[in-house]
Amino acid sequence: MAKINQRAGAPASAMLGLGVYRPERVVTNDEICEVLDSSDEWIQTRSGIRTRRYAGEGESLLDMAQIACERALKASGVAAGDIGTVILATSTHVQHTPAAAPMLADRLGSRAAAFDVSAGCAGFCHSLSVASDLVRGGNARYVLVVGVERLSTFMDPTDRGTAFIFADGAGAVVVGPSDEAGIGPVAWGSDGSQSHVITQSMRCDELTPDHPLVVQMEGTAVFRWAPFAMADVAREAVTEAGLSLDDLDVFVPHQANLRISETLARNLKLPETVAIARDVQDSGNTSAASVPLAIEAMVRKGDAKAGDTALLIAFGAGLSFAGQVVTLPPVADS
Ligand code: UT7
Protein backbone atom coordinates (compact mmCIF):
# COMPACT_ATOMS: atom_id res chain seq x y z
CA MET A 1 0.00 0.00 0.00
CA ALA A 2 1.44 3.40 -1.00
CA LYS A 3 1.92 5.93 1.77
CA ILE A 4 -0.30 8.93 1.00
CA ASN A 5 0.74 12.34 2.23
CA GLN A 6 -1.86 14.55 3.93
CA ARG A 7 -1.65 18.29 4.40
CA ALA A 8 -1.37 19.90 7.78
CA GLY A 9 -3.04 23.26 8.17
CA ALA A 10 -3.10 26.17 10.56
CA PRO A 11 -3.52 25.33 14.27
CA ALA A 12 -6.38 27.82 14.52
CA SER A 13 -8.74 29.68 12.19
CA ALA A 14 -10.85 32.82 12.41
CA MET A 15 -12.94 35.23 10.36
CA LEU A 16 -10.46 37.92 9.26
CA GLY A 17 -12.88 40.43 7.74
CA LEU A 18 -16.56 40.86 6.88
CA GLY A 19 -18.30 42.82 4.13
CA VAL A 20 -21.93 43.10 3.09
CA TYR A 21 -24.08 44.47 0.31
CA ARG A 22 -27.60 45.82 0.86
CA PRO A 23 -29.51 46.79 -2.28
CA GLU A 24 -30.53 50.45 -2.38
CA ARG A 25 -34.23 49.86 -2.86
CA VAL A 26 -36.08 49.93 0.49
CA VAL A 27 -39.51 48.26 0.38
CA THR A 28 -42.01 49.20 3.08
CA ASN A 29 -44.83 47.04 4.43
CA ASP A 30 -47.29 49.48 2.89
CA GLU A 31 -45.76 48.84 -0.53
CA ILE A 32 -45.99 45.05 0.03
CA CYS A 33 -49.65 45.49 1.04
CA GLU A 34 -50.50 47.22 -2.24
CA VAL A 35 -50.63 43.65 -3.62
CA LEU A 36 -50.75 41.45 -0.49
CA ASP A 37 -53.93 41.07 1.59
CA SER A 38 -52.25 42.14 4.85
CA SER A 39 -51.33 45.25 6.82
CA ASP A 40 -48.26 47.05 8.16
CA GLU A 41 -49.57 46.48 11.68
CA TRP A 42 -50.05 42.70 11.20
CA ILE A 43 -46.62 42.26 9.59
CA GLN A 44 -44.82 44.22 12.33
CA THR A 45 -46.68 42.47 15.15
CA ARG A 46 -46.24 38.93 13.78
CA SER A 47 -42.74 39.17 12.33
CA GLY A 48 -41.06 42.38 13.52
CA ILE A 49 -40.36 43.35 9.90
CA ARG A 50 -40.68 47.08 9.11
CA THR A 51 -38.82 47.25 5.80
CA ARG A 52 -36.75 45.01 3.57
CA ARG A 53 -34.52 45.57 0.55
CA TYR A 54 -35.02 44.31 -2.99
CA ALA A 55 -32.32 44.19 -5.65
CA GLY A 56 -32.76 46.70 -8.43
CA GLU A 57 -33.63 45.77 -11.98
CA GLY A 58 -30.56 44.27 -13.62
CA GLU A 59 -28.85 43.82 -10.25
CA SER A 60 -27.96 40.13 -10.13
CA LEU A 61 -27.07 37.66 -7.43
CA LEU A 62 -23.46 37.78 -8.62
CA ASP A 63 -23.41 41.60 -8.59
CA MET A 64 -24.42 41.60 -4.92
CA ALA A 65 -22.04 38.76 -3.98
CA GLN A 66 -19.14 40.47 -5.73
CA ILE A 67 -19.51 43.74 -3.82
CA ALA A 68 -19.84 41.95 -0.46
CA CYS A 69 -16.75 39.84 -1.23
CA GLU A 70 -14.67 42.83 -2.33
CA ARG A 71 -15.54 44.55 0.96
CA ALA A 72 -14.70 41.41 2.98
CA LEU A 73 -11.34 41.10 1.21
CA LYS A 74 -10.60 44.76 1.97
CA ALA A 75 -11.57 44.40 5.64
CA SER A 76 -9.37 41.30 6.00
CA GLY A 77 -6.37 42.66 4.09
CA VAL A 78 -6.24 39.46 2.00
CA ALA A 79 -5.76 39.68 -1.79
CA ALA A 80 -8.22 37.88 -4.08
CA GLY A 81 -5.28 35.96 -5.57
CA ASP A 82 -4.50 34.42 -2.16
CA ILE A 83 -7.97 32.90 -1.76
CA GLY A 84 -7.77 29.10 -2.02
CA THR A 85 -11.49 28.30 -1.96
CA VAL A 86 -14.69 30.25 -2.62
CA ILE A 87 -17.88 28.91 -1.01
CA LEU A 88 -21.17 30.53 -2.03
CA ALA A 89 -24.29 29.71 -0.02
CA THR A 90 -27.60 30.45 -1.74
CA SER A 91 -31.02 29.14 -2.70
CA THR A 92 -31.58 31.67 -5.46
CA HIS A 93 -28.91 31.07 -8.09
CA VAL A 94 -30.94 30.69 -11.29
CA GLN A 95 -28.94 27.82 -12.78
CA HIS A 96 -28.51 24.35 -11.34
CA THR A 97 -25.32 24.05 -13.37
CA PRO A 98 -22.86 25.65 -13.36
CA ALA A 99 -22.69 26.76 -9.73
CA ALA A 100 -22.46 30.50 -9.05
CA ALA A 101 -19.18 30.32 -7.11
CA PRO A 102 -16.78 29.80 -10.08
CA MET A 103 -18.34 32.81 -11.87
CA LEU A 104 -17.95 34.86 -8.71
CA ALA A 105 -14.31 33.77 -8.35
CA ASP A 106 -13.69 34.78 -11.96
CA ARG A 107 -15.18 38.22 -11.36
CA LEU A 108 -12.85 38.64 -8.39
CA GLY A 109 -9.86 37.63 -10.51
CA SER A 110 -9.41 34.28 -8.76
CA ARG A 111 -8.96 30.75 -10.10
CA ALA A 112 -9.62 29.17 -6.68
CA ALA A 113 -11.69 26.05 -6.13
CA ALA A 114 -15.26 27.29 -5.99
CA PHE A 115 -18.57 25.64 -5.20
CA ASP A 116 -22.08 26.42 -3.98
CA VAL A 117 -23.72 25.21 -0.77
CA SER A 118 -27.45 24.54 -0.62
CA ALA A 119 -28.55 24.50 3.02
CA GLY A 120 -31.31 27.10 2.92
CA CYS A 121 -31.09 29.82 5.54
CA ALA A 122 -28.41 27.81 7.36
CA GLY A 123 -26.04 27.93 4.36
CA PHE A 124 -23.74 30.63 5.74
CA CYS A 125 -23.10 28.80 9.03
CA HIS A 126 -22.55 25.49 7.18
CA SER A 127 -20.06 27.18 4.86
CA LEU A 128 -18.27 28.91 7.72
CA SER A 129 -17.68 25.55 9.36
CA VAL A 130 -16.38 23.99 6.13
CA ALA A 131 -14.11 27.01 5.57
CA SER A 132 -12.67 26.74 9.06
CA ASP A 133 -11.92 23.04 8.53
CA LEU A 134 -10.30 23.71 5.13
CA VAL A 135 -7.93 26.19 6.77
CA ARG A 136 -7.18 23.92 9.72
CA GLY A 137 -6.83 20.88 7.45
CA GLY A 138 -4.40 22.67 5.13
CA ASN A 139 -6.38 22.44 1.88
CA ALA A 140 -6.72 26.23 1.74
CA ARG A 141 -4.92 29.06 3.51
CA TYR A 142 -7.71 31.58 2.95
CA VAL A 143 -11.37 30.82 2.18
CA LEU A 144 -13.95 33.32 0.98
CA VAL A 145 -17.48 32.54 2.23
CA VAL A 146 -20.50 34.44 0.92
CA GLY A 147 -24.19 34.07 1.68
CA VAL A 148 -26.26 35.78 -1.01
CA GLU A 149 -29.92 35.77 -2.00
CA ARG A 150 -32.19 37.42 -4.52
CA LEU A 151 -35.40 36.07 -3.05
CA SER A 152 -37.56 38.84 -4.52
CA THR A 153 -37.31 36.99 -7.85
CA PHE A 154 -38.85 33.86 -6.40
CA MET A 155 -41.80 35.13 -4.42
CA ASP A 156 -45.48 35.15 -5.14
CA PRO A 157 -46.37 38.71 -4.05
CA THR A 158 -49.91 37.59 -3.17
CA ASP A 159 -48.84 34.72 -0.86
CA ARG A 160 -49.62 35.73 2.74
CA GLY A 161 -47.15 33.17 4.10
CA THR A 162 -44.02 34.44 2.33
CA ALA A 163 -44.45 37.73 0.44
CA PHE A 164 -43.66 40.03 3.38
CA ILE A 165 -40.85 37.87 4.79
CA PHE A 166 -38.14 37.30 2.22
CA ALA A 167 -35.67 39.83 0.80
CA ASP A 168 -32.34 40.35 -0.95
CA GLY A 169 -28.73 40.99 0.07
CA ALA A 170 -25.24 39.53 0.50
CA GLY A 171 -22.73 39.05 3.32
CA ALA A 172 -19.19 37.68 3.03
CA VAL A 173 -16.26 36.80 5.25
CA VAL A 174 -12.65 35.78 4.69
CA VAL A 175 -11.60 32.84 6.86
CA GLY A 176 -7.90 32.25 7.45
CA PRO A 177 -5.21 31.25 9.94
CA SER A 178 -5.17 32.93 13.31
CA ASP A 179 -3.12 32.89 16.54
CA GLU A 180 -6.31 32.37 18.58
CA ALA A 181 -9.26 30.16 17.62
CA GLY A 182 -12.03 32.43 16.33
CA ILE A 183 -14.49 29.84 15.01
CA GLY A 184 -15.77 27.26 17.47
CA PRO A 185 -16.88 23.68 16.73
CA VAL A 186 -20.05 23.56 14.67
CA ALA A 187 -23.27 22.16 16.12
CA TRP A 188 -25.31 21.08 13.10
CA GLY A 189 -27.76 18.61 11.70
CA SER A 190 -30.90 18.13 9.67
CA ASP A 191 -34.46 16.84 9.88
CA GLY A 192 -35.45 15.65 6.42
CA SER A 193 -38.78 14.41 7.73
CA GLN A 194 -39.76 18.10 7.55
CA SER A 195 -38.39 18.63 4.02
CA HIS A 196 -41.84 19.72 2.79
CA VAL A 197 -41.97 22.71 5.19
CA ILE A 198 -39.91 25.12 3.03
CA THR A 199 -39.59 24.33 -0.67
CA GLN A 200 -38.67 25.91 -3.96
CA SER A 201 -39.52 23.23 -6.50
CA MET A 202 -38.94 22.98 -10.23
CA ARG A 203 -42.39 23.54 -11.67
CA CYS A 204 -41.68 25.00 -15.07
CA ASP A 205 -45.12 24.33 -16.50
CA GLU A 206 -47.68 26.53 -18.22
CA LEU A 207 -49.65 26.96 -14.99
CA THR A 208 -46.90 28.98 -13.30
CA PRO A 209 -45.32 31.05 -16.04
CA ASP A 210 -44.49 34.05 -13.85
CA HIS A 211 -43.18 32.24 -10.79
CA PRO A 212 -41.84 28.86 -11.90
CA LEU A 213 -39.64 28.50 -8.81
CA VAL A 214 -41.74 30.21 -6.21
CA VAL A 215 -40.80 29.68 -2.54
CA GLN A 216 -43.45 27.98 -0.41
CA MET A 217 -43.36 27.77 3.36
CA GLU A 218 -45.42 26.41 6.23
CA GLY A 219 -44.33 29.26 8.47
CA THR A 220 -46.16 28.06 11.55
CA ALA A 221 -44.31 24.71 11.44
CA VAL A 222 -40.97 26.56 11.43
CA PHE A 223 -42.26 28.80 14.18
CA ARG A 224 -43.16 25.83 16.40
CA TRP A 225 -39.88 24.02 15.75
CA ALA A 226 -37.09 26.61 15.69
CA PRO A 227 -37.27 28.33 19.12
CA PHE A 228 -37.09 24.98 20.91
CA ALA A 229 -34.91 22.79 18.66
CA MET A 230 -32.41 25.63 18.15
CA ALA A 231 -32.01 26.16 21.90
CA ASP A 232 -30.44 22.67 22.13
CA VAL A 233 -28.20 23.41 19.14
CA ALA A 234 -27.14 26.71 20.72
CA ARG A 235 -26.27 25.03 24.02
CA GLU A 236 -24.21 22.42 22.17
CA ALA A 237 -22.28 25.09 20.24
CA VAL A 238 -21.46 26.99 23.43
CA THR A 239 -20.48 23.88 25.39
CA GLU A 240 -18.34 22.51 22.55
CA ALA A 241 -16.51 25.85 22.42
CA GLY A 242 -15.62 25.34 26.08
CA LEU A 243 -17.68 28.37 27.12
CA SER A 244 -20.84 29.24 29.02
CA LEU A 245 -23.67 31.62 28.05
CA ASP A 246 -22.12 34.21 30.39
CA ASP A 247 -19.07 34.38 28.11
CA LEU A 248 -21.15 35.65 25.18
CA ASP A 249 -21.31 39.31 24.15
CA VAL A 250 -23.60 38.89 21.16
CA PHE A 251 -26.31 36.52 19.89
CA VAL A 252 -26.92 36.42 16.13
CA PRO A 253 -29.79 34.08 15.30
CA HIS A 254 -30.89 33.69 11.68
CA GLN A 255 -33.15 36.68 10.97
CA ALA A 256 -36.40 34.80 10.24
CA ASN A 257 -38.80 36.49 12.60
CA LEU A 258 -38.20 38.75 15.63
CA ARG A 259 -40.58 36.62 17.71
CA ILE A 260 -38.55 33.48 16.93
CA SER A 261 -35.31 35.26 17.98
CA GLU A 262 -36.83 36.55 21.21
CA THR A 263 -38.46 33.23 22.14
CA LEU A 264 -35.20 31.42 21.40
CA ALA A 265 -33.25 33.83 23.63
CA ARG A 266 -35.83 33.33 26.41
CA ASN A 267 -35.71 29.52 26.07
CA LEU A 268 -31.93 29.68 26.27
CA LYS A 269 -32.09 31.90 29.36
CA LEU A 270 -29.59 34.17 27.66
CA PRO A 271 -28.11 36.72 30.11
CA GLU A 272 -29.57 40.20 29.61
CA THR A 273 -26.10 41.56 28.92
CA VAL A 274 -25.95 39.65 25.62
CA ALA A 275 -26.89 41.91 22.67
CA ILE A 276 -29.37 40.26 20.28
CA ALA A 277 -29.40 40.88 16.52
CA ARG A 278 -32.63 42.48 15.28
CA ASP A 279 -31.75 43.20 11.66
CA VAL A 280 -34.91 41.38 10.48
CA GLN A 281 -36.75 44.62 11.32
CA ASP A 282 -34.90 46.51 8.58
CA SER A 283 -33.79 43.71 6.23
CA GLY A 284 -36.49 41.03 6.37
CA ASN A 285 -35.39 37.43 5.98
CA THR A 286 -32.44 37.26 3.59
CA SER A 287 -31.93 33.53 4.11
CA ALA A 288 -28.24 32.58 3.60
CA ALA A 289 -27.21 36.25 3.82
CA SER A 290 -29.00 37.02 7.07
CA VAL A 291 -26.30 36.16 9.62
CA PRO A 292 -23.45 38.25 8.12
CA LEU A 293 -25.88 41.10 7.36
CA ALA A 294 -27.07 41.03 10.98
CA ILE A 295 -23.48 41.12 12.27
CA GLU A 296 -22.72 44.15 10.08
CA ALA A 297 -25.84 45.95 11.30
CA MET A 298 -24.91 45.38 14.96
CA VAL A 299 -21.36 46.65 14.46
CA ARG A 300 -22.55 49.68 12.46
CA LYS A 301 -25.04 50.60 15.19
CA GLY A 302 -22.51 50.10 18.01
CA ASP A 303 -24.29 47.05 19.50
CA ALA A 304 -21.24 44.85 18.81
CA LYS A 305 -17.59 45.27 17.86
CA ALA A 306 -14.68 43.32 16.39
CA GLY A 307 -13.30 40.96 19.03
CA ASP A 308 -16.69 40.29 20.65
CA THR A 309 -17.68 36.68 21.31
CA ALA A 310 -20.84 35.85 19.33
CA LEU A 311 -23.14 32.86 19.10
CA LEU A 312 -24.41 32.28 15.54
CA ILE A 313 -27.43 30.01 14.94
CA ALA A 314 -29.08 29.46 11.56
CA PHE A 315 -31.96 27.23 10.46
CA GLY A 316 -34.19 26.76 7.46
CA ALA A 317 -35.07 24.62 4.44
CA GLY A 318 -34.09 20.99 4.73
CA LEU A 319 -34.79 21.37 7.53
CA SER A 320 -31.11 22.16 8.09
CA PHE A 321 -29.42 23.93 10.95
CA ALA A 322 -25.93 24.97 12.07
CA GLY A 323 -24.40 27.17 14.72
CA GLN A 324 -21.06 28.06 16.22
CA VAL A 325 -19.42 30.50 18.62
CA VAL A 326 -17.16 32.97 16.84
CA THR A 327 -15.01 36.00 17.46
CA LEU A 328 -16.41 38.91 15.43
CA PRO A 329 -14.00 40.16 12.73
CA PRO A 330 -13.33 43.70 11.50
CA VAL A 331 -16.28 44.88 9.39
CA ALA A 332 -15.89 46.92 6.20
CA ASP A 333 -17.77 50.20 5.75
CA SER A 334 -20.64 49.77 3.31
O1 UT7 B 1 -35.98 31.30 7.36
C1 UT7 B 1 -36.59 30.22 7.97
C2 UT7 B 1 -37.92 30.14 7.42
N1 UT7 B 1 -39.01 30.54 8.27
C3 UT7 B 1 -39.43 31.79 8.46
O2 UT7 B 1 -38.84 32.74 8.05
C4 UT7 B 1 -40.77 32.07 9.10
C5 UT7 B 1 -41.15 31.37 10.32
N2 UT7 B 1 -42.56 31.61 10.62
C6 UT7 B 1 -43.11 32.83 10.79
O3 UT7 B 1 -42.42 33.83 10.71
C7 UT7 B 1 -44.59 32.94 11.14
O4 UT7 B 1 -45.14 31.65 11.19
C8 UT7 B 1 -45.37 33.82 10.14
C9 UT7 B 1 -44.99 35.27 10.36
C10 UT7 B 1 -45.13 33.40 8.72
C11 UT7 B 1 -46.87 33.70 10.41
O5 UT7 B 1 -47.16 34.05 11.75
P1 UT7 B 1 -48.11 33.13 12.63
O6 UT7 B 1 -48.23 33.77 13.94
O7 UT7 B 1 -47.58 31.72 12.57
O8 UT7 B 1 -49.50 33.29 11.86
P2 UT7 B 1 -50.51 32.17 11.36
O9 UT7 B 1 -50.08 31.64 10.03
O10 UT7 B 1 -50.78 31.20 12.46
O11 UT7 B 1 -51.84 33.04 11.13
C12 UT7 B 1 -52.50 33.74 12.20
C13 UT7 B 1 -53.67 34.52 11.65
C14 UT7 B 1 -54.63 33.70 10.82
O12 UT7 B 1 -55.94 34.24 11.01
P3 UT7 B 1 -56.99 33.59 12.04
O13 UT7 B 1 -57.16 32.16 11.57
O14 UT7 B 1 -56.33 33.69 13.40
O15 UT7 B 1 -58.20 34.45 11.89
C15 UT7 B 1 -54.19 33.94 9.38
O16 UT7 B 1 -55.24 33.78 8.46
O17 UT7 B 1 -53.21 35.56 10.75
C16 UT7 B 1 -53.76 35.38 9.44
N3 UT7 B 1 -52.71 35.67 8.49
C17 UT7 B 1 -52.46 36.90 7.99
N4 UT7 B 1 -53.08 38.07 8.21
C18 UT7 B 1 -52.56 39.16 7.58
C19 UT7 B 1 -51.78 34.82 8.00
N5 UT7 B 1 -50.92 35.49 7.19
C20 UT7 B 1 -51.33 36.77 7.18
C21 UT7 B 1 -50.83 37.94 6.55
N6 UT7 B 1 -51.48 39.10 6.79
N7 UT7 B 1 -49.75 37.92 5.75
Side-chain angles (χ1 to χ4, degrees):
M1 195 165 59
K3 188 172 172 296
I4 295 174
N5 188 42
Q6 288 191 318
R7 292 185 178 126
S13 62
M15 295 189 281
L16 306 180
L18 182 147
V20 303
Y21 177 73
R22 293 171 198 275
E24 267 182 37
R25 186 173 163 222
V26 177
V27 179
T28 62
N29 290 339
D30 285 338
E31 185 179 340
I32 294 283
C33 294
E34 285 170 15
V35 182
L36 185 70
D37 176 16
S38 189
S39 68
D40 174 45
E41 200 256 330
W42 190 94
I43 294 171
Q44 287 208 42
T45 311
R46 296 285 177 150
S47 71
I49 299 169
R50 298 184 297 224
T51 59
R52 75 285 292 141
R53 299 210 179 206
Y54 285 177
E57 261 180 56
E59 189 172 44
S60 72
L61 189 90
L62 283 173
D63 293 337
M64 294 191 285
Q66 181 180 351
I67 296 173
C69 287
E70 285 168 351
R71 289 175 176 163
L73 287 164
K74 195 168 171 212
S76 64
V78 174
D82 291 332
I83 295 293
T85 312
V86 177
I87 308 177
L88 185 150
T90 193
S91 301
T92 48
H93 173 45
V94 287
Q95 291 171 294
H96 270 265
T97 305
M103 292 185 266
L104 173 64
D106 183 54
R107 282 175 172 226
L108 296 168
S110 162
R111 286 287 175 267
F115 56 92
D116 291 359
V117 163
S118 172
C121 304
F124 179 82
C125 289
H126 278 72
S127 304
L128 187 60
S129 165
V130 172
S132 176
D133 289 351
L134 284 170
V135 170
R136 294 177 62 224
N139 279 325
R141 185 159 173 80
Y142 297 106
V143 182
L144 187 56
V145 172
V146 58
V148 55
E149 302 286 5
R150 198 183 197 285
L151 279 148
S152 60
T153 325
F154 298 100
M155 283 183 321
D156 173 353
T158 63
D159 179 4
R160 292 172 115 202
T162 55
F164 63 94
I165 293 178
F166 293 111
D168 304 339
V173 294
V174 175
V175 175
S178 168
D179 292 340
E180 302 283 343
I183 302 173
V186 68
W188 58 357
S190 66
D191 178 1
S193 72
Q194 298 198 69
S195 59
H196 57 281
V197 167
I198 309 170
T199 59
Q200 192 188 339
S201 303
M202 275 285 194
R203 289 191 318 180
C204 300
D205 59 35
E206 71 280 11
L207 298 178
T208 55
D210 294 333
H211 298 285
L213 282 164
V214 75
V215 175
Q216 291 177 310
M217 178 170 71
E218 295 175 22
T220 311
V222 181
F223 203 91
R224 290 202 183 114
W225 168 78
F228 303 95
M230 290 309 102
D232 291 338
V233 176
R235 282 187 207 101
E236 183 189 337
V238 172
T239 306
E240 288 289 316
L243 302 174
S244 78
L245 292 172
D246 290 324
D247 294 310
L248 299 176
D249 302 306
V250 181
F251 178 41
V252 188
H254 164 50
Q255 301 294 289
N257 181 317
L258 192 61
R259 286 158 64 212
I260 293 182
S261 300
E262 288 173 349
T263 312
L264 177 52
R266 255 197 321 276
N267 290 346
L268 262 177
K269 298 190 174 60
L270 209 60
E272 282 188 6
T273 49
V274 180
I276 302 175
R278 293 192 162 81
D279 190 40
V280 70
Q281 294 178 308
D282 301 321
S283 302
N285 179 342
T286 56
S287 191
S290 92
V291 166
L293 280 168
I295 294 173
E296 184 274 342
M298 291 188 87
V299 171
R300 179 166 33 85
K301 292 175 178 172
D303 296 332
K305 58 184 184 317
D308 277 357
T309 302
L311 169 62
L312 315 181
I313 295 288
F315 51 87
L319 296 174
S320 300
F321 51 89
Q324 57 271 94
V325 176
V326 300
T327 306
L328 293 185
V331 173
D333 291 335
S334 298

